């Protein structure tokens, strides 16, 4: 297990490194460069100044040297400043990562709380009208454009009914309840797709498990159906579901980007989007890497959870797959 | 006279047992027809989808403009149809590109094995584990001029179309590749492949003529489901201003300005989204039905 973990950590480090290089190159390919932007802001700058500034910031160096210089600084904990906000990027990103994780965690919890009972309900009555209704809702949930769903929610709850704020995160000094009101619509948006996805997984996993021999054995022994479902079936059915939920953190980040942008929620997704749109290379780069790091760590957690939940699995020799 | 039961014929008969899939197929065919016939309708109504009429902004539905006009006074119905052309075109072609790249990489990975397989599959794992949308945004923000493309190409209307197809294909292949690799692995040691080897057929011929046809069903299902996903991604990117650029309409970018106008013209925010929703759910239901019809064993768990 330890060797497996180390191998996975190593792999993740390689992915992160490759990602940092790819992103560095891609950001260099975005319109304009920082000196041009400074130039645009100050008409008195001369071309000598530009050359001097480019040399000062190392922009006249080859790409690979600039990347390596960036990497050395990054490894030393120096991630530079955000151009838009004039603050060290880590100080910008830390609270926003917290905001994103809060939004994601609440949405995830709600999604699981709905998906598990709904999936079990459907799995125990395959083909019934309630199964088909749940199935159709799941298809709707994964097919609805998330930003459009957000628009409809804003239209209904903020514009027509006036019950909930259309965006923002509340103000300093607001109570917990007031803060919660700002969370309702973003959480609804983000959890909709997750509920749909997880319900389908719970359902198919439960149907699979209910066909197993040990379920028949348990029933033959006279175990009450309620116990068969809860103790015997659900525990085994949840194994793949937990893995899928943990593997889905990347998808959750994608959803969070849309949700945060729609509702003005100051999280990682909105920050990355604003940074890309505002030519804030440093912020975009570190933000994207931080999101990647969290996703990779969640994937490793998924593997650990998988091994922990299913004692049959050992990671001594890992097969490809 | 009964026609002989071909594999396609059998699958078609089984597909008809899934009313949701059949309904989806009909809806998609109807939508496709409408979208293709958009110029015809344009001529019939004597309207021009691109004509700006600032004196007739946000007009309500009426006999001339059946669904009313948008914030620039353009006919909403015609813009929806033209937007549908773009969205469906992007969805179909990006899904096809994804399928081709994924099929080739999956075949090579499963057939050649060893180091090649390792590298391709590790790349697929890495791509799947990344936060996709933030990555797509960075890819979409790349300046074409800095890629060495001439100025005219980067600014042309069709460039944003090709770009979005390309970036979706770049990140979309791993799912298909895994699928095809799995089929390839299970077929590699079978007799007919061994015979093909013994007959002296080259690896390319064996892969594409003998193994790939056996992966056709899962490939078709995956591609159908991919079309829906691509349309969703296109709409999100266009909505964020990084996909299809106006004045070329797409269902995604038509929603772009709708958020600010929601108080004045809520229907402007409803129509394009509704069309995306209906199209994507139809592709998903069709894919699900196809899976059940083409592979009855794998789909035994789903209704």
């Amino acid at each position: 297990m330890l060797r497996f973990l180390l191998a996975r950590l190593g792999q993740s480090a390689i992915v992160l490194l490759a990602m940092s290089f790819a992103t560095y190159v891609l950001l260099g390919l975005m319109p304009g460069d920082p000196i041009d932007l400074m130039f645009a802001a100050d008409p008195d700058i001369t071309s000598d100044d530009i050359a001097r500034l480019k040399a000062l910031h190392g922009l006249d160096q080859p790409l690979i040297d600039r990347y390596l210089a960036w990497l050395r600084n990054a490894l030393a904990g120096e991630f530079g400043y955000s151009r838009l906000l004039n603050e060290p990027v880590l100080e910008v990103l830390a609270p926003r990562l917290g905001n994103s994780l809060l939004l994601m965690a609440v949405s995830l919890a709600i999604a699981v709380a709905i998906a598990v009972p709904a999936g079990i309900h459907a799995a125990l009555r395959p083909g019934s009208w309630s199964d088909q209704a749940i199935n159709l809702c799941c298809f709707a949930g994964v097919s609805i454009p998330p930003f459009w769903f957000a628009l409809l929610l804003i239209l209904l709850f903020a514009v027509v009914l006036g019950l909930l704020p259309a965006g923002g995160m509340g103000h300093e000094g607001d109570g917990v309840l007031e803060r919660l009101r700002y969370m309702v619509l973003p959480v609804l948006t983000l959890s909709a797709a997750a509920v749909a996805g997880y319900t389908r997984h719970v359902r198919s996993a439960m149907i699979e498990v209910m066909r197993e021999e040990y379920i028949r054995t348990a029933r033959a022994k006279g175990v009450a159906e309620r116990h068969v479902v809860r103790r015997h079936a659900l525990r085994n059915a949840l194994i793949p579901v937990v893995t899928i939920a943990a593997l889905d953190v990347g998808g959750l980040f994608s959803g969070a980007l849309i949700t945060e942008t729609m509702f003005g929620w100051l999280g990682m997704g909105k920050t990355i989007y604003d940074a890309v749109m505002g030519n804030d290379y440093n912020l975009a780069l570190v933000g994207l890497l931080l999101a990647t790091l969290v996703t990779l760590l969640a994937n490793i957690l998924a593997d650990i959870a998988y091994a922990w939940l299913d004692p049959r699995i050992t990671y001594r020799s890992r097969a490809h797959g | 006279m009964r026609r002989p039961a071909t594999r396609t014929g059998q699958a078609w008969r089984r597909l008809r047992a899934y009313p949701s899939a059949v309904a989806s197929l009909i809806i998609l065919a109807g939508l496709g027809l409408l979208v293709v016939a958009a110029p015809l309708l344009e001529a019939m109504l004597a309207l021009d989808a691109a004509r700006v009429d600032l004196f007739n902004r946000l007009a309500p539905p009426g006999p001339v403009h059946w669904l009313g006009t948008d914030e620039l006074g353009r006919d909403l119905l015609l813009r929806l149809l033209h937007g549908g052309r773009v969205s469906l075109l992007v969805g179909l072609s990006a899904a096809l590109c994804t399928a081709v790249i994924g099929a080739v990489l999956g075949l090579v990975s499963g057939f050649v094995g060893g180091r090649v397989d390792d590298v391709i599959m590790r790349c697929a794992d890495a791509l799947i584990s990344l936060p996709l949308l933030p990555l797509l945004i960075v890819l979409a923000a790349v300046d074409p001029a800095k890629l060495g493309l001439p100025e005219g190409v980067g600014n042309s209307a069709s460039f944003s179309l090709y770009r979005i197809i390309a970036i979706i294909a770049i990140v979309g292949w791993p799912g298909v590749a895994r699928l095809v690799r799995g089929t390839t692995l299970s077929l590699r040691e079978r007799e007919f492949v061994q015979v093909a080897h013994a007959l002296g057929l080259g690896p390319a011929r064996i892969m594409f003529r003998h193994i790939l046809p056996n992966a056709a069903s899962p490939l078709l299902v995956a591609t159908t489901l991919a079309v829906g996903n691509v349309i969703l991604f296109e709409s999100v990117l266009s909505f964020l201003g990084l996909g299809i650029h106006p004045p070329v309409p797409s269902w995604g970018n038509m929603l772009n300005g709708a958020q600010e106008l929601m108080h004045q013209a809520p229907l402007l925010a409803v129509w394009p989204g509704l069309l995306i929703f209906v199209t994507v759910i139809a592709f998903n239901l069709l894919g699900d039905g196809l899976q059940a019809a083409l592979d009855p064993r794998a789909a035994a768990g789903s209704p």
Side-chain angles (χ1 to χ4, degrees), chain A residues 6 73 94 97 103 139 144-145 154 166 187 218 265 276 281 293 306 321:
Chain A
L6 286 176
N73 285 335
L97 179 63
L103 188 63
F139 271 101
I144 198 164
I154 294 173
V187 164
W265 187 268
V276 169
Y281 308 106
L293 179 68
Y306 197 48

Side-chain angles (χ1 to χ4, degrees), chain A residues 89 93 268 271-272 281-292:
Chain A
V89 279
L93 287 170
M268 290 289 292
T271 307
I272 293 172
Y281 308 106
N282 242 341
L283 190 60
L285 178 60
V286 181
L288 197 59
L289 290 181
L290 197 57
T292 309

Side-chain angles (χ1 to χ4, degrees), chain B residues 18 50 67 86 152-153 196 214 216 230 253:
Chain B
Y18 297 88
L67 290 180
V86 173
V153 175
N214 286 293
V230 171
N253 72 25

Side-chain angles (χ1 to χ4, degrees), chain A residues 152-167 177-186 188 263, chain B residues 263:
Chain A
L152 291 184
L153 288 176
I154 294 173
L155 195 59
L156 180 63
F157 289 103
V159 177
V160 176
L161 297 175
L163 286 174
L164 293 164
L177 265 180
E178 182 60 23
R179 287 285 171 98
L180 276 178
R181 286 184 59 228
Y182 283 89
M183 275 192 84
V184 176
L185 294 185
L188 263 179
F263 290 101
Chain B
H263 292 267

Side-chain angles (χ1 to χ4, degrees), chain A residues 75-98:
Chain A
L75 289 176
E78 293 281 331
F79 289 98
Y81 277 72
S82 152
R83 191 182 76 80
L84 288 175
L85 302 160
N86 277 325
E87 273 179 67
V89 279
L90 282 188
E91 274 173 39
V92 175
L93 287 170
R96 296 179 181 213
L97 179 63

Side-chain angles (χ1 to χ4, degrees), chain A residues 119-159:
Chain A
I120 294 174
H121 181 93
L124 295 181
R125 302 160 188 79
S128 70
W129 73 264
S130 59
D131 175 36
Q132 286 182 13
I134 288 173
N135 192 38
L136 201 64
C137 286
C138 290
F139 271 101
V142 294
S143 306
I144 198 164
F147 61 95
W148 185 61
F149 186 53
L151 272 181
L152 291 184
L153 288 176
I154 294 173
L155 195 59
L156 180 63
F157 289 103
V159 177

Side-chain angles (χ1 to χ4, degrees), chain B residues 3-137:
Chain B
R3 272 181 298 159
T6 58
R7 267 188 70 185
T8 320
Q10 277 178 4
W12 173 237
R13 212 168 323 124
R14 276 202 298 263
L15 186 66
R16 281 189 304 190
Y18 297 88
S20 54
V22 176
S24 303
L25 200 57
I26 294 170
I27 290 175
L28 289 175
L31 205 62
L33 220 60
L34 265 178
V35 157
V36 170
L40 224 64
L41 190 71
E42 210 171 337
M44 213 176 75
L45 292 171
L47 290 170
D48 179 356
R51 205 179 88 90
V52 173
D53 180 1
L54 290 176
F55 293 109
N56 198 16
R57 298 173 66 235
L58 303 175
V64 181
H65 301 288
W66 292 358
L67 290 180
T69 60
D70 70 357
E71 70 274 18
L72 293 177
R74 293 170 296 195
D75 185 77
L76 187 57
L77 175 65
L78 287 177
R79 272 188 69 77
L80 281 173
L81 292 182
H82 279 280
R85 283 171 95 104
V86 173
S87 292
L88 286 171
L89 185 71
V90 169
L92 289 171
S93 32
L96 272 179
C97 290
T98 303
V100 170
I101 298 176
V104 170
L105 287 175
L107 268 176
V108 170
S109 189
F111 194 76
V112 178
R115 262 279 142 79
V116 177
D117 180 34
D118 261 356
V119 170
I120 295 178
M121 281 303 117
R122 287 295 87 81
C123 285
D125 288 347
L127 258 182
I128 283 179
S129 67
L130 294 176
L132 200 55
L133 191 58
L135 187 64
L136 281 176
I137 281 179

